[in-house]
Amino acid sequence: MSTGDEEPQPWSIVSGWTGNCRSRSRLIRCSSIDDLRTSIQQPGRWLPRGAGCSYGDAAILEEGRLVLLDHEAIDEQKQPASGSVTVSAAVTLRTLLPALATRGLTLPVVPGVLDATIGGIVAADAHGKNHLTRGSIRDVTDSLRLMLPSGDLIDCDRSDGTDLFEATIGGMGLTGMITEATLQVIPLLARTVRVEQIATSDLESSLNQLRLLSQHHEHVAAWLDPTPRGAAFGRGIVVAGSPYLEHQQSQMAHPSNWELTPGSTLPPLVASLLTPVGISCHNTLRHLRARFWRGTSTWKLDRLLFPLERWKNWKQIYKPAGFHQHQSLVPAAVCDVVIRKLLEMSVSGGCPPTLVVLKMMRGGSGWLSFPDEGMTLSMDFRSEEGTVDLLRQLDERVAQEQGRVYLAKDSTLTPELFRAMYPDLGRFQKLRQQFDPQQKLNSELSLRLKI
Ligand SMILES: Cc1cc2nc3c(=O)[nH]c(=O)nc-3n(C[C@H](O)[C@H](O)[C@H](O)COP(=O)(O)OP(=O)(O)OC[C@H]3O[C@@H](n4cnc5c(N)ncnc54)[C@H](O)[C@@H]3O)c2cc1C
């Protein structure tokens, strides 16, 4: 146990996932609740950190302590007769999903990254490709154990009346350190899934197919190509599968057997394709391939849920400059017009986006949570001169349309636009003031956006 009298941890340079935002911070690893209490009660500013998979500055803090939990426990006593499982917030999906699979179970909602921790996923109120049917992590979280900035350890759930549960899910670590979460689990029916792939000829048909396939399938996402001019602008590939639905039952997985497929290495040559011509050629080939291989095929489940994990070094191709992702929610009423506009803006600068993905969302709740009814558009951009200006223009356009930007991906919003996008900010600030009057808990994101 830490007594608090040890030598301070040395300073480290810590970054967000994309490498664009960095801070000089002390990384404090805590292996017990007492350790955690001691370290957050030290003088100075601190922030919970998970695996650092948030893209921008949500998990960094200049001249502050980034506090991590070391304890990857899955509570054997509270296992699933009740349909839920209690796990340490430090557990990653990479550890948890195979462990649940040995009991024939899985999580109904997962983001597309295996290294994220449960604490980080809850703090971002993450969503998967099945938001329309299952909602976000909020919808499958039964209760949380939270260490408040005071050092008090409390349990909270939907009915506790303190608002802490509501604010903590999606609260980006600013209400305290989540130490444990009780999450709903569902049967893992199969390790493979029948996947339908449809190549679309233009933006209108991409949006229509996305809507259509979402009526019959649980996991649906569209990859879009904004590089062609004229009629083919916004063509794409819509991918859909329903691994958790009853009709898959005939493929029932052996309960002890969900090995995640190890990622392959992308050849370094791929980095040289990150030019307007390279991206356009890659997109054309990808689309062509999907046109010929359209139809239904069987995929491993992790390929559908975690497509980027196929390449273990994919983000290295952006080195040394790094990259940005702009992920926005476009309200349902204006999707067709606004998504076209955002895509047009995305190709108006130097280099077009390297990856564009569109998913559908249903209504959400929560004070700083991202999901709401509409579509969510994610666009990856190589970092270069002009990228940040473009992201700011996209932010403005999204705000004008009453949409919002996802805080787990953001690095460019201003406090004014943020306030317009998240109308419950005032409530959140009041709650923070109540539980952390000295404002010791901060992130570079919270300081930038004046949360
Ligand atoms: C390749 C890739 C794909 C992704 N796909 C999706 C997706 O499909 N859907 C989606 O919603 N998101 C997606 N994300 C984003 C990711 O789910 C979130 O950024 C998530 O927060 C990462 O978890 P983490 O453990 O890395 O948290 P970090 O990045 O370390 O922290 C994120 C935030 O959570 C807070 N936090 C971390 N741990 C705790 C804790 N124990 N208690 C309180 N607060 C805590 C931090 O303070 C910070 O504000 C993706 C990210 C990557 C890299």
Side-chain angles (χ1 to χ4, degrees):
M1 182 185 136
S2 161
T3 58
D5 296 333
E6 297 87 356
E7 284 290 301
Q9 291 293 322
W11 294 105
S12 309
I13 301 298
V14 187
S15 78
W17 175 258
T18 58
N20 285 309
C21 306
R22 292 194 169 83
S23 67
R24 183 173 174 268
S25 314
R26 293 192 201 279
L27 284 168
I28 315 283
R29 292 190 176 274
C30 302
S31 51
S32 70
I33 289 297
D34 289 334
D35 263 0
L36 177 62
R37 186 174 289 113
T38 307
S39 57
I40 71 175
Q41 286 179 333
Q42 306 272 312
R45 299 185 308 183
W46 70 282
L47 176 72
R49 181 167 162 110
C53 296
S54 45
Y55 277 51
D57 53 3
I60 58 173
L61 178 62
E62 183 66 20
E63 304 285 320
R65 279 167 290 133
L66 298 178
V67 180
L68 294 92
L69 295 172
D70 245 356
H71 180 59
E72 286 212 22
I74 301 168
D75 194 330
E76 296 291 335
Q77 303 307 311
K78 299 182 198 165
Q79 289 306 312
S82 59
S84 62
V85 58
T86 300
V87 297
S88 157
V91 175
T92 62
L93 292 179
R94 197 179 289 285
T95 304
L96 181 59
L97 293 180
L100 287 177
T102 62
R103 301 173 183 113
L105 296 169
T106 196
L107 293 183
V109 174
V110 288
V113 56
L114 285 166
D115 286 326
T117 64
I118 293 301
I121 291 171
V122 171
D125 191 13
H127 57 274
K129 295 176 187 62
N130 58 350
H131 193 263
L132 269 191
T133 44
R134 301 276 180 180
S136 62
I137 278 288
R138 167 182 306 280
D139 297 286
V140 301
T141 302
D142 284 346
S143 64
L144 298 173
R145 183 161 286 176
L146 181 71
M147 185 165 286
L148 296 170
S150 60
D152 293 336
L153 192 62
I154 61 148
D155 289 319
C156 56
D157 60 31
R158 266 172 243 287
S159 59
D160 74 354
T162 64
D163 286 339
L164 263 174
F165 183 77
E166 284 299 310
T168 297
I169 303 180
M172 302 307 285
L174 299 171
T175 58
M177 178 69 120
I178 302 163
T179 61
E180 254 182 41
T182 301
L183 304 170
Q184 292 162 24
V185 285
I186 54 171
L188 174 66
L189 297 178
R191 281 166 288 127
T192 56
V193 52
R194 295 293 290 164
V195 169
E196 199 174 335
Q197 263 200 101
I198 294 183
T200 55
S201 53
D202 57 19
L203 182 58
E204 195 183 347
S205 60
S206 299
L207 296 179
N208 288 342
Q209 285 297 341
L210 183 65
R211 290 185 177 110
L212 199 68
L213 289 180
S214 297
Q215 289 171 16
H216 307 291
H217 289 283
E218 187 177 340
H219 286 77
V220 189
W223 166 81
L224 300 182
D225 180 8
T227 59
R229 290 171 196 271
F233 177 78
R235 67 186 174 185
I237 307 167
V238 187
V239 174
S242 304
Y244 308 147
L245 294 186
E246 295 297 314
H247 64 77
Q248 298 270 342
Q249 198 111 29
S250 57
Q251 307 169 25
M252 189 82 177
H254 187 280
S256 63
N257 216 346
W258 187 17
E259 280 174 23
L260 300 165
T261 319
S264 317
T265 308
L266 272 178
L269 181 73
V270 175
S272 61
L273 295 176
L274 297 183
T275 61
V277 174
I279 293 167
S280 173
C281 289
H282 165 266
N283 289 359
T284 303
L285 286 175
R286 185 171 177 188
H287 191 258
L288 205 64
R289 198 162 148 248
R291 270 170 51 202
F292 285 112
W293 286 3
R294 55 177 298 154
T296 308
S297 48
T298 301
W299 287 13
K300 285 191 168 173
L301 186 51
D302 41 331
R303 181 172 168 199
L304 179 69
L305 302 182
F306 310 105
L308 284 170
E309 300 281 350
R310 289 178 79 191
W311 309 108
K312 61 179 175 219
N313 64 333
W314 65 268
K315 73 172 176 168
Q316 311 294 335
I317 63 172
Y318 294 98
K319 280 194 164 174
F323 72 110
H324 292 267
Q325 186 177 104
H326 192 269
Q327 182 171 359
S328 56
L329 181 276
V330 179
V334 292
C335 275
D336 295 59
V337 175
V338 175
I339 286 166
R340 178 174 294 279
K341 184 67 200 165
L342 296 175
L343 288 177
E344 284 168 0
M345 290 168 73
S346 77
V347 288
S348 64
C351 199
T354 48
L355 182 66
V356 180
V357 177
L358 191 64
K359 295 179 277 196
M360 296 200 58
M361 288 196 144
R362 69 183 196 193
S365 63
W367 301 0
L368 299 189
S369 282
F370 171 70
D372 210 347
E373 193 183 350
M375 289 186 185
T376 172
L377 178 69
S378 314
M379 301 190 278
D380 288 8
F381 295 94
R382 189 185 79 177
S383 271
E384 61 175 356
E385 210 187 324
T387 308
V388 167
D389 288 345
L390 173 61
L391 297 177
R392 294 211 165 110
Q393 289 163 26
L394 292 167
D395 291 343
E396 274 184 28
R397 183 69 200 212
V398 169
Q400 269 171 29
E401 303 294 345
Q402 271 85 53
R404 61 178 70 127
V405 165
Y406 189 15
L407 294 180
K409 307 284 178 73
D410 171 58
S411 54
T412 53
L413 272 181
T414 59
E416 296 70 31
L417 292 182
F418 169 63
R419 196 171 293 272
M421 291 175 179
Y422 289 88
D424 281 330
L425 173 62
R427 285 171 89 187
F428 188 85
Q429 287 169 323
K430 242 173 147 172
L431 182 119
R432 261 193 94 190
Q433 185 58 30
Q434 181 187 345
F435 288 101
D436 185 19
Q438 298 171 317
Q439 301 256 318
K440 281 176 67 180
L441 196 41
N442 277 290
S443 61
E444 286 306 302
L445 176 106
S446 75
L447 295 168
R448 172 168 58 86
L449 298 181
K450 302 194 189 333
I451 301 177

